[in-house]
Amino acid sequence: MTNGNTVTRERIAAMEPRIRPYVRHTPVLRVDMADFDRPPLTVDLKLECLQHSGSFKARGAFTNLLERTVPKAGVVAASGGNHGAAVAYAAMRLGHKATIFVPEVSPPAKLERIRSYGAELIVGGARYAEALEASERFAEETGALQIHAFNQEETLVGQGTLGLEIESDLPQIDTLLVAVGGGGLIGGIAAWFAGRIRIIAIEPEGAPTLYRAFEAGRPVDAPTEGIAADSLAPKRVGEIMFPIAEAFVERSILVSDDDIIAAQKALWNRVRIISEPGGAAAFAAVLSGRYAPTPGERVAVLVCGANANPATF
């Protein structure tokens, strides 16, 4: 199964051992929703929020740097924060120069993390799309290798290794809930599972990129608002991931900012997991009841990012 591109199970499986020395095998926490004042339900939380650089993005970043030739000018990336931190971390580990463009909406916690990895950080523009345009100009002027946050085959292949790891950890699950912004994460995971489990996309109401794409039958512009705008609000999903999502993602469910805030607080207060808004979005669907499992359904939720300060919850 090629899904119209080269983001295949075979390529993901071959990539996993190459990035394994650089990424963590993140843990799974089994919880009962009764602990969150909801009806009893066993849910497995895959804690990719504990990954290097604070999110799943490290997988795609290392895949890009290991699979592609990095010039003397180094690498450049545009990011709401997490992708930039991951690229900066991977570049630091592999000895490359990194320049990261982020929009003004990026939170201080993410900017501090990017700087801590020694990258040159450039802040400008209201949203991700403007940072992306600036990074593209920089790449043209300097020859730096551009690493796209989601619309790049290597990025999807790297994120797909998380699907492989989830299947290894949780071979019995029926359903996996995954937050969506540009779609690199869910695209890679869906390419790995290839229809063998139910995959549900979870998106903020203020940034329904995949939801709108499903409605239109193609990637289209969507609003870029809401509490998770720094991580889940590009203008549209990637062209590479969309046919994979059409084939293997069952549907998209929208959650409100209030749902996401409640999920962040619940994860911190009940199980001491720090999660940023984008990282908590998938759990918000279960906590709010917007996703209601059928009796006996075995559900896993991906908690995908932790670059936040719990004092702000």
Side-chain angles (χ1 to χ4, degrees):
M1 174 69 70
T2 65
N3 307 317
N5 56 57
T6 59
V7 184
T8 62
R9 283 175 52 82
E10 293 77 17
R11 189 173 174 189
I12 291 167
M15 196 65 223
E16 198 280 338
R18 290 196 66 195
I19 67 169
R20 177 52 50 199
Y22 304 104
V23 299
R24 292 181 179 132
H25 188 132
T26 53
V28 171
L29 176 65
R30 182 160 292 175
V31 299
D32 189 331
M33 293 306 295
D35 294 336
F36 299 90
D37 302 323
R38 297 294 187 270
L41 172 70
T42 298
V43 173
D44 289 306
L45 304 178
K46 176 61 171 173
L47 301 182
E48 189 67 6
C49 51
L50 301 180
Q51 187 55 260
H52 288 298
S53 78
S55 83
F56 70 92
K57 297 278 192 177
R59 297 173 184 268
F62 276 109
T63 299
N64 271 280
L65 268 65
L66 292 170
E67 285 278 275
R68 302 166 69 194
T69 300
V70 179
K72 186 176 180 180
V75 297
V76 59
S79 170
N82 285 341
H83 176 63
V87 171
Y89 175 76
M92 178 187 71
R93 286 286 308 272
L94 297 175
H96 300 297
K97 178 182 178 182
T99 304
I100 310 298
F101 289 78
V102 300
E104 295 162 2
V105 71
S106 297
K110 295 185 179 183
L111 304 186
E112 291 169 10
R113 187 169 284 260
I114 292 169
R115 289 192 183 100
S116 75
Y117 298 139
E120 181 178 355
L121 179 65
I122 300 172
V123 182
R127 287 291 187 265
Y128 167 78
E130 294 166 79
L132 178 60
E133 291 175 3
S135 73
E136 290 170 342
R137 289 193 298 270
F138 180 88
E140 290 176 1
E141 294 167 1
T142 66
L145 177 69
Q146 188 156 22
I147 301 180
H148 199 283
F150 53 87
N151 199 34
Q152 179 81 37
E153 285 189 357
E154 288 83 2
T155 301
L156 269 77
V157 169
Q159 319 312 22
T161 66
L162 179 51
L164 184 158
E165 189 170 299
I166 290 170
E167 183 169 28
S168 173
D169 292 340
L170 299 166
Q172 79 285 358
I173 61 171
D174 303 306
T175 304
L176 176 65
L177 274 59
V178 183
V180 174
L185 176 61
I186 201 168
I189 289 174
W192 171 259
F193 280 105
R196 291 176 298 118
I197 66 169
R198 180 184 297 111
I199 295 178
I200 307 293
I202 310 299
E203 302 182 83
E205 291 175 342
T209 52
L210 186 57
Y211 188 93
R212 290 284 181 89
F214 279 156
E215 285 185 329
R218 59 185 175 84
V220 294
D221 286 355
T224 57
E225 304 301 329
I227 191 172
D230 64 298
S231 59
L232 300 183
K235 280 187 177 181
R236 58 173 64 189
V237 293
E239 298 284 344
I240 297 172
M241 70 76 62
F242 186 66
I244 302 173
E246 276 196 309
F248 301 129
V249 176
E250 182 177 286
R251 66 186 188 277
S252 171
I253 294 173
L254 303 182
V255 293
S256 70
D257 280 359
D258 286 345
D259 293 335
I260 292 172
I261 293 168
Q264 279 188 284
K265 290 180 177 178
L267 287 170
W268 174 245
N269 291 332
R270 301 302 173 91
V271 287
R272 278 303 188 257
I273 293 171
I274 298 173
S275 178
E276 64 190 84
F283 185 66
V286 178
L287 187 69
S288 66
R290 293 183 186 239
Y291 183 77
T294 59
E297 183 178 348
R298 296 163 296 186
V299 178
V301 171
L302 182 54
V303 184
C304 57
N307 288 317
N309 182 349
T312 64
F313 296 172

